[in-house]
Amino acid sequence: MESGGIEGKDQEISSSPSPTPPSITLEEWRGSSSAKLYRTAVITADPSSLALERSGSRWHHFWRKILEAFVPEGFPGSVTPDYVPFQVWDSLQGLSTYIRSMLSTQALLGAIGVGEKSATVIGATFQWFLRDLTGMLGGILFTFYQGSNLDSNAKMWRLVADFMNDLGMLMDLVSPLFPSAFVAILCLGSLSRAFTGVASGATRAALTQHFALENNAADISAKEGSQETMATMIGMALGMLMAHVTRGHPIVVWVSFLPLTMFHMYANYKAVQCLSLNTLNNERSSILLQYFMQNGKVLSPQEVSRREHVFPVWASWHSSNNAESLYRHVYVAVRASSLKHSDMMELSRSASTHYRRAKYLLLERKGVIHVINHKEATPADILQSYVHALVLTNLVDRTQSLHTESRLWMDEHYPVFIVKLKSAGWATERLLSPSVVWRADWFCSPSDEKIN
């Protein structure tokens, strides 16, 4: 009977209906991280139906897909705030460049002899070969002399690069007017554009690293390629149209070319003016230190960006006596073999006193500070040596005990200065300056005790 009772219970349980599954609502989100997600759809399911409700219109989704081909993933949170204004002005200047390139190329091809029966293929080929060869050699020489300086002055060299590009296009346009000097003008134009290629490529890499907030430099570079391609296509179409309209009318060509060149230079200036770089180069360090010594506060990258000038020193109207131009009186990584006997004697005294624990020596001559870095100096030591040199420059003509007072200031205020720089968003790992290729090691006599 017990057995029969158990079997009856089993049959009763198995014959009972299975529980009805509950309904579920599932939201669909898109993005690479929680900070960049946006909802695309809401899906609701119950035992009898499935409902799908998409977020946003079809046009909204279509526009987002188009936008993803031109902006980095996670935009705008994955890039710095100055990315958008810079790219807008950069695209506008690129558009101007491509329109003008059609005009200058048309003039150049006409000067070579394209379309003329008297022109020979070998002659045109040889002229084009000289043009390219000059550009290649010029690019190598420019890299040799200025390669290490491009990263530290990205904003300035960005302007210089585009100015050289304008100069190269101008020479292409001028070349038909001087047939006897055509080859020389052609090579000079190619040389100018070679400088542009090196400087523009190097500064672009530095700016891409600046924009990348989430180690997405490759994505930013790829999307910039898409933006440049789009600007190129539009510029080529407008340039072809303009070249067709202005063909045979040299005055109209010049009237079109010159305003476009002026706009190109203005757009480049606005583009670099938008940048708020947070790296420490010579000028930004000088501005920050001078303000800190006067007010005890540290400026933000945006505030420093409004104060620093982006033109080369020879094109700057700022006075060299400006307090924020202290960096022009400091020379980093001085070559020891260039020092005089009196310089060596002064270094001998200061090495055993003021700089006994430092990985650098400072030498003041007529208001100019020379920095000699130890062969074991780290990037942090080089940054400290440069700040110390700026402090020394600021104290010139104010005290007779330059080294003593500057060392006391560094001991008391330098750690606080670095902490405040980090809090304000500055990168304090190193000083962006031309490569420190000259270093030194020093000993004090008569004990020959090595100074570290």
Side-chain angles (χ1 to χ4, degrees):
M1 292 182 64
E2 292 180 1
S3 175
I6 294 175
E7 289 178 359
K9 291 181 180 179
D10 290 340
Q11 291 175 0
E12 184 178 348
I13 293 174
S14 61
S15 63
S16 63
S18 59
T20 303
S23 62
I24 182 172
T25 300
L26 189 145
E27 293 182 345
E28 179 185 72
W29 294 73
R30 180 168 180 173
S32 58
S33 73
S34 59
K36 312 169 193 173
L37 298 177
Y38 62 94
R39 191 173 65 181
T40 58
V42 178
I43 308 167
T44 304
D46 57 35
S48 60
S49 64
L50 176 68
L52 174 62
E53 180 184 355
R54 297 191 180 277
S55 301
S57 62
R58 291 181 179 273
W59 169 250
H60 176 75
H61 289 291
F62 177 75
W63 172 247
R64 269 198 171 274
K65 289 184 181 294
I66 295 295
L67 194 63
E68 287 174 358
F70 295 97
V71 298
E73 186 177 359
F75 174 86
S78 61
V79 292
T80 56
D82 53 358
Y83 174 80
V84 173
F86 175 83
Q87 291 301 125
V88 169
W89 285 110
D90 188 54
S91 298
L92 289 175
Q93 67 86 17
L95 187 65
S96 169
T97 297
Y98 303 130
I99 295 174
R100 291 178 300 127
S101 67
M102 299 301 294
L103 299 176
S104 61
T105 302
Q106 183 185 44
L108 182 60
L109 293 176
I112 290 177
V114 175
E116 297 183 6
K117 295 181 179 179
S118 59
T120 62
V121 175
I122 187 65
T125 303
F126 180 70
Q127 290 173 343
W128 208 263
F129 166 76
L130 283 179
R131 173 180 180 268
D132 290 345
L133 179 63
T134 304
M136 294 175 188
L137 293 176
I140 294 174
L141 290 175
F142 182 75
T143 303
F144 175 74
Y145 282 105
Q146 290 293 343
S148 62
N149 194 32
L150 298 176
D151 190 38
S152 58
N153 294 287
K155 297 171 76 171
M156 182 197 74
W157 283 113
R158 175 76 183 185
L159 274 184
V160 172
D162 285 294
F163 173 77
M164 298 300 290
N165 191 36
D166 291 339
L167 191 60
M169 288 187 179
L170 183 63
M171 289 182 179
D172 288 345
L173 202 60
V174 167
S175 58
L177 304 179
F178 303 94
S180 59
F182 171 72
V183 176
I185 297 175
L186 184 72
C187 291
L188 287 175
S190 178
L191 191 66
S192 179
R193 278 189 298 274
F195 296 165
T196 299
V198 175
S200 179
T203 55
R204 171 58 63 185
L207 296 182
T208 300
Q209 291 293 335
H210 162 69
F211 292 136
L213 288 180
E214 299 181 357
N215 296 323
N216 55 340
D219 185 29
I220 291 176
S221 181
K223 299 306 168 57
E224 186 192 356
S226 298
Q227 298 168 17
E228 188 172 348
T229 300
M230 179 60 68
T232 301
M233 292 190 296
I234 298 174
M236 288 176 64
L238 294 177
M240 287 290 292
L241 177 62
M242 186 170 289
H244 177 73
V245 172
T246 59
R247 184 175 57 185
H249 302 84
I251 296 180
V252 180
V253 172
W254 281 99
V255 169
S256 303
F257 182 86
L258 293 178
L260 284 171
T261 301
M262 296 300 294
F263 174 76
H264 176 259
M265 297 175 65
Y266 174 75
N268 272 291
Y269 173 72
K270 295 295 291 184
V272 298
Q273 197 179 38
C274 292
L275 293 172
S276 300
L277 303 181
N278 66 339
T279 51
L280 295 175
N281 67 355
N282 293 0
E283 184 183 6
R284 289 191 284 273
S285 299
S286 177
I287 295 173
L288 286 164
L289 180 68
Q290 184 67 24
Y291 190 85
F292 178 77
M293 294 183 73
Q294 293 175 351
N295 304 284
K297 300 178 182 179
V298 167
L299 296 170
S300 67
Q302 291 76 20
E303 292 170 324
V304 172
S305 177
R306 291 191 290 267
R307 291 168 177 252
E308 67 177 326
H309 70 274
V310 294
F311 294 102
V313 174
W314 52 266
S316 175
W317 55 84
H318 290 277
S319 173
S320 60
N321 295 324
N322 190 338
E324 293 179 349
S325 301
L326 296 176
Y327 68 98
R328 297 182 184 175
H329 302 276
V330 177
Y331 293 91
V332 181
V334 172
R335 190 176 180 178
S337 59
S338 65
L339 300 177
K340 300 178 181 178
H341 178 262
S342 58
D343 298 334
M344 294 298 296
M345 291 297 97
E346 181 175 340
L347 288 178
S348 175
R349 290 188 294 270
S350 60
S352 58
T353 54
H354 305 294
Y355 306 102
R356 173 177 289 274
R357 298 182 181 87
K359 292 292 182 67
Y360 57 87
L361 299 175
L362 301 182
L363 178 67
E364 186 270 331
R365 281 289 178 267
K366 298 180 180 180
V368 176
I369 310 301
H370 303 272
V371 182
I372 302 173
N373 297 104
H374 195 274
K375 69 174 186 177
E376 297 177 357
T378 63
D381 295 326
I382 294 174
L383 175 60
Q384 181 178 347
S385 70
Y386 186 73
V387 173
H388 195 160
L390 291 175
V391 173
L392 207 64
T393 306
N394 192 53
L395 294 176
V396 171
D397 299 330
R398 297 185 183 183
T399 178
Q400 297 296 323
S401 306
L402 283 177
H403 295 281
T404 301
E405 291 199 18
S406 66
R407 180 171 53 83
L408 291 175
W409 191 96
M410 290 293 292
D411 292 341
E412 182 179 354
H413 299 288
Y414 182 73
V416 179
F417 180 55
I418 293 297
V419 170
K420 289 189 175 183
L421 285 177
K422 293 180 179 178
S423 300
W426 291 97
T428 59
E429 294 79 15
R430 66 188 184 103
L431 174 72
L432 281 182
S433 65
S435 297
V436 180
V437 295
W438 297 108
R439 296 175 182 250
D441 195 5
W442 49 88
F443 305 87
C444 282
S445 61
S447 60
D448 281 343
E449 181 186 356
K450 189 172 181 178
I451 303 300
N452 288 315

